[in-house]
């Protein structure tokens, strides 16, 4: 894909490096000369020193050919304006970084529904790690209404039971079992063992109840 990113700060530059590493074509737009210089050295991609809220700069980045545009600066107003301008070029996917959650409605009113707040996402992840210390790892799924949990089975009440006896329910499904360094998709007759690591897809609202089933 061809991705245009506005903003060469921590979020924008890190994203650009990930995208380049995974084989995407990237152009990075940044108005700060210092950040431009850093990005040009660190990034194997085109870096344009200019303002992403300026039509000429966007056209220099061939915005009409972009598959994705990401407004990744720390300024919500600049991100909003650039997204409005980019919409005129019919870019298939437009993503905006949001610093102030109070501004989310403004983005939605102009048709920008892919709005991400890295700060809020990180804070939410840390909160889950603190409140769920017995979970080995977790991934927030969808729009935060589900989580993929990695759990080591400790509850003796489920040891020796088959996967089909426990899953699926309205709250969760056992999605995978990890054994000898490999991930397996379990069949209903798979017998669960103590200390066996499983991946469970659970509704966020039911995580505490789901965790108590296995730990």
């Amino acid at each position: 894909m061809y991705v245009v990113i506005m903003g060469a700060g921590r979020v924008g530059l890190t994203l650009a490096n990930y995208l380049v590493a995974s084989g995407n074509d990237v152009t990075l737009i940044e108005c700060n000369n210092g950040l431009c210089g850093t990005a040009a050295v660190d990034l194997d991609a085109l870096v344009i020193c200019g303002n992403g809220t300026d039509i000429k700069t966007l056209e220099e980045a061939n915005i009409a050919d972009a598959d994705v545009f990401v407004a990744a600066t720390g300024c919500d107003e600049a991100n909003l304006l650039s997204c409005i301008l980019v919409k005129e070029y019919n870019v298939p996917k437009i993503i905006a970084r949001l610093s102030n959650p109070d501004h989310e409605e403004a983005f939605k009113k102009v048709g920008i529904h892919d709005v991400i707040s890295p700060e809020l996402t990180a804070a939410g992840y840390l909160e889950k790690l603190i409140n769920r210390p017995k979970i080995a790892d977790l991934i927030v799924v969808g729009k935060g209404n589900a989580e993929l949990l990695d759990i080591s089975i400790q509850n003796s009440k489920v040891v020796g039971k088959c996967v089909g006896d426990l899953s699926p329910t309205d709250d969760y499904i056992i999605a995978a079992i990890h054994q000898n360094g490999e991930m397996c998709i379990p069949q209903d007759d798979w017998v669960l063992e103590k200390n066996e690591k499983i991946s469970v897809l659970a509704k966020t609202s039911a995580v505490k109840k789901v965790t108590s089933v296995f730990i």
Side-chain angles (χ1 to χ4, degrees):
M1 292 189 297
Y2 176 47
V3 184
V4 177
I5 301 172
M6 182 181 79
R10 174 178 50 84
V11 174
L13 186 56
T14 301
L15 174 62
N17 273 303
Y18 279 139
L19 289 170
V20 169
S22 58
N24 297 282
D25 293 325
V26 175
T27 292
L28 189 60
I29 300 172
E30 173 57 54
C31 61
N32 181 287
N33 288 331
L35 291 177
C36 268
T38 300
V41 172
D42 292 346
L43 187 65
D44 184 19
L46 175 63
V47 178
I48 297 175
C49 288
N51 195 327
T53 62
D54 179 73
I55 291 176
K56 289 183 178 179
T57 302
L58 291 171
E59 290 185 346
E60 184 181 350
N62 294 319
I63 192 64
D65 296 329
D67 298 295
V68 183
F69 173 75
V70 182
T73 78
C75 176
D76 289 353
E77 291 78 7
N79 290 344
L80 179 60
L81 178 55
S82 66
C83 287
I84 292 172
L85 293 174
V86 169
K87 276 178 65 68
E88 298 299 315
Y89 292 88
N90 297 315
V91 175
K93 192 170 188 65
I94 300 174
I95 303 171
R97 174 187 175 184
L98 184 69
S99 297
N100 186 342
D102 293 338
H103 296 161
E104 184 173 3
E105 191 61 31
F107 283 84
K108 290 184 177 180
K109 282 184 178 179
V110 299
I112 311 301
H113 295 284
D114 290 312
V115 181
I116 307 296
S117 174
E119 291 82 2
L120 288 177
T121 300
Y125 183 81
L126 291 171
E127 178 268 330
K128 289 176 174 61
L129 289 180
I130 292 168
N131 287 330
R132 300 164 193 173
K134 293 182 179 179
I135 296 174
D137 198 6
L138 61 88
I139 299 173
V140 178
V141 180
K143 295 186 177 180
N145 54 359
E147 295 173 25
L148 187 63
L149 315 171
D150 280 354
I151 300 174
S152 178
I153 295 177
Q154 301 298 322
N155 190 347
S156 59
K157 293 181 179 180
V158 302
V159 173
K161 286 193 173 183
C162 294
V163 167
D165 296 332
L166 301 166
S167 168
T169 73
D170 289 339
D171 293 323
Y172 74 89
I173 183 171
I174 298 176
I177 293 178
H178 304 266
Q179 200 171 68
N180 300 322
E182 295 187 0
M183 185 192 77
C184 304
I185 304 300
Q187 303 301 310
D188 287 347
D189 59 353
W190 187 298
V191 178
L192 297 175
E193 300 176 2
K194 188 175 177 62
N195 297 321
E196 195 165 41
K197 184 179 176 183
I198 62 174
S199 294
V200 180
L201 181 63
K203 292 179 180 178
T204 297
S205 60
V207 164
K208 187 175 181 179
K209 181 171 68 174
V210 172
T211 302
S212 68
V213 172
F214 300 100
I215 298 178

